[in-house]
């Protein structure tokens, strides 16, 4: 749910997001396609229970071709309201908790863990080291970003955080020793890792030349404004972890919750994100191609 300026902007976003879900499912080895929905409006101001129920009615008309779940601006409680009118929802109950925490169906913990695993793999590849002492800038400390901050903190990373709302920033500062940074300054901060965890188009023609991080690895969908941006990053020697590979934890978790699985299997599958990224990084080094292009080709081989 997002306050889109107009229907064209929303349509562009939903088409890019749904395409990303298809590539994400392929790279995560899931036997499913990809889809996405967007709702117009500011989630903090415009969301009503009736709007969520109406969304459920709409999803039901697709008769299971599309199954909806949480994402930016949409919480577990919203999906519960949608489920009053459709059974085609996920992420409102869990059979397996991959980390022993309370399993309420929210995919954000699994997404955050997957991004953490991915950042470790990227840092290892770029610096041949672990996370201790590495500076990581997180843009957006919402459901995923704040959980990612906790994992990184426990592994010894030094955190810098920015958000347009104070709640996540305050928590990261108080509990994980993070330094608060202005939203306007976070992209160009002199850090080792830049982790976009807010919205799409995080890397674009306006900020690409400001980025000082050697690694870009975060949860946001559609991080690159274009393919060309991915190629430019490669030329600048910046290691980019393709978004739909590193942020597949949520869809992996949901897939297992709907299957006959186990907590251990979910965790193993999430850890696989690190292996998949390593394969992409090595292939990109060997071929001289951008990591985003390598990932696209690998995904397309699976579904074409
Ligand atoms: P969220 O809405 O809980 O968090 C996003 C945070 O970004 C919010 O705190 C928001 O205030 C902040 N933000 C928005 N615009 C900003 C800006 N310009 N600068 C700084 N901060 C800004 O969403 P989430 O569930 O944490 O997801 C974060 C990103 O990861 C989204 O792009 C989402 O599509 C993607 N993602 C999420 C999941 C999941 O399981 N939740 C799975 C895959 C991908």
């Amino acid at each position: 749910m997002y306050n889109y300026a107009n229907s064209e902007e929303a349509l562009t976003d939903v088409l890019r997001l749904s395409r990303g879900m298809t590539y994400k499912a392929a790279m995560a080895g899931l036997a499913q396609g990809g889809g996405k929905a967007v709702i117009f409006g500011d989630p903090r101001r415009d969301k009503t229970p009736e709007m969520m129920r109406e969304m459920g009615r709409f999803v039901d008309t697709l008769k299971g071709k599309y199954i909806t779940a949480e994402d930016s601006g949409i919480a577990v409680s919203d999906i519960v309201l949608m489920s009053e009118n459709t059974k085609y929802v996920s992420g409102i109950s869990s059979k397996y908790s991959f980390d022993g925490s309370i399993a309420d169906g929210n995919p954000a913990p699994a997404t955050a863990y997957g991004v953490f695993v991915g950042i470790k793999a990227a840092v290892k590849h770029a610096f041949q080291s672990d996370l201790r002492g590495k500076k990581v800038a997180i843009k957006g400390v919402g459901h995923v970003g704040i959980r990612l901050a906790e994992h990184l903190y426990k592994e010894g990373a030094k955190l810098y955080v920015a958000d347009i709302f104070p709640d996540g920033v305050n928590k990261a500062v108080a509990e994980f020793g993070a330094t608060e940074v202005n939203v306007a300054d976070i992209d160009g901060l002199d850090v080792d890792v830049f982790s976009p965890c807010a919205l799409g188009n995080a890397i674009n023609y306006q900020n690409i030349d400001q980025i000082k991080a050697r690694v870009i690895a975060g949860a946001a969908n559609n991080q690159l404004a274009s393919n060309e941006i991915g190629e430019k990053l490669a030329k600048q020697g910046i290691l980019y972890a393709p978004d739909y590979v590193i942020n597949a934890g949520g869809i992996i978790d949901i897939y297992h919750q709907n299957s006959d699985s186990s907590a251990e299997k979910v965790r193993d599958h999430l850890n696989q994100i690190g292996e998949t990224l390593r394969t992409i990084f090595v292939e990109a080094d060997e071929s001289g191609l951008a990591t985003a292009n390598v990932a696209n080709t690998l995904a397309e081989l699976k579904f074409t």
Side-chain angles (χ1 to χ4, degrees):
M1 183 168 183
Y2 183 68
N3 210 6
Y4 293 101
N6 51 50
S7 54
E8 201 185 319
E9 189 184 283
L11 187 61
T12 303
D13 201 31
V14 77
L15 289 174
R16 288 189 73 203
L17 287 166
S18 50
R19 180 185 157 92
M21 291 306 286
T22 304
Y23 282 73
K24 189 182 303 201
M27 286 307 279
L30 307 176
Q32 62 184 47
K36 205 77 174 181
V38 295
I39 303 175
F40 275 61
D42 179 339
R44 292 185 186 226
R45 203 188 55 206
D46 304 326
K47 197 192 285 176
T48 64
E50 192 41 41
M51 183 190 272
M52 297 299 107
R53 292 189 186 100
E54 188 56 34
M55 181 67 185
R57 272 182 215 109
F58 170 69
V59 168
D60 204 58
T61 64
L62 299 171
K63 300 190 170 64
K65 283 192 183 126
Y66 174 64
I67 300 171
T68 199
E70 297 84 352
D71 204 333
S72 191
I74 294 294
V76 175
S77 53
D78 300 319
I79 304 288
V80 169
L81 288 166
M82 290 177 204
S83 76
E84 289 178 16
N85 293 320
T86 183
K87 62 180 180 186
Y88 301 117
V89 297
S90 282
I92 51 173
S93 66
S94 286
K95 289 187 282 183
Y96 322 104
S97 165
F98 75 96
D99 60 356
S101 64
I102 300 164
D104 64 355
N106 184 356
T111 302
Y113 178 72
V115 174
F116 166 64
V117 166
I119 290 179
K120 277 205 290 190
V123 164
K124 183 99 208 268
H125 191 80
F127 301 100
Q128 287 79 49
S129 81
D130 61 22
L131 279 166
R132 248 166 304 157
K134 286 281 169 290
K135 294 179 181 171
V136 184
I138 306 178
K139 183 177 188 176
V141 269
H143 289 108
V144 176
I146 195 68
R147 290 174 168 94
L148 171 65
E150 183 169 5
H151 287 300
L152 294 169
Y153 165 73
K154 286 182 176 162
E155 206 82 355
K158 173 96 190 71
L159 303 178
Y160 299 83
V161 295
D163 200 297
I164 50 173
F165 291 106
D167 331 7
V169 171
N170 292 343
K171 185 177 162 77
V173 169
E175 295 180 27
F176 313 133
T179 302
E180 179 176 359
V181 179
N182 285 332
V183 170
D185 300 329
I186 191 98
D187 299 12
L189 214 61
D190 192 2
V191 290
D192 300 302
V193 180
F194 176 43
S195 185
C197 293
L199 295 170
N201 284 333
I203 316 296
N204 51 54
Y205 293 96
Q206 283 73 48
N207 69 2
I208 186 159
D209 292 326
Q210 297 163 19
I211 290 168
K212 298 187 186 68
R214 278 271 304 283
V215 169
I216 297 177
N221 286 311
N222 298 333
Q223 287 172 37
L224 305 183
S226 71
N227 251 3
E228 195 191 5
I229 291 274
E231 286 153 14
K232 220 167 168 304
L233 288 176
K235 282 202 191 95
Q236 287 177 209
I238 297 173
L239 184 67
Y240 167 66
D243 45 17
Y244 58 76
V245 180
I246 193 169
N247 74 11
I251 194 77
I252 290 171
D253 184 60
I254 281 176
Y255 186 84
H256 282 267
Q257 302 305 336
N258 295 335
S259 320
D260 191 12
S261 187
S262 69
E264 201 183 3
K265 281 186 191 164
V266 185
R267 201 173 175 88
D268 286 351
H269 204 153
L270 294 173
N271 284 328
Q272 188 61 40
I273 289 173
E275 296 303 321
T276 307
L277 284 171
R278 260 186 287 281
T279 305
I280 293 167
F281 297 155
V282 169
E283 208 165 312
D285 284 349
E286 286 171 0
S287 63
L289 295 172
T291 52
N293 291 346
V294 170
N296 285 348
T297 304
L298 290 174
E300 284 158 10
L301 280 173
K302 291 181 190 244
F303 59 69
T304 53

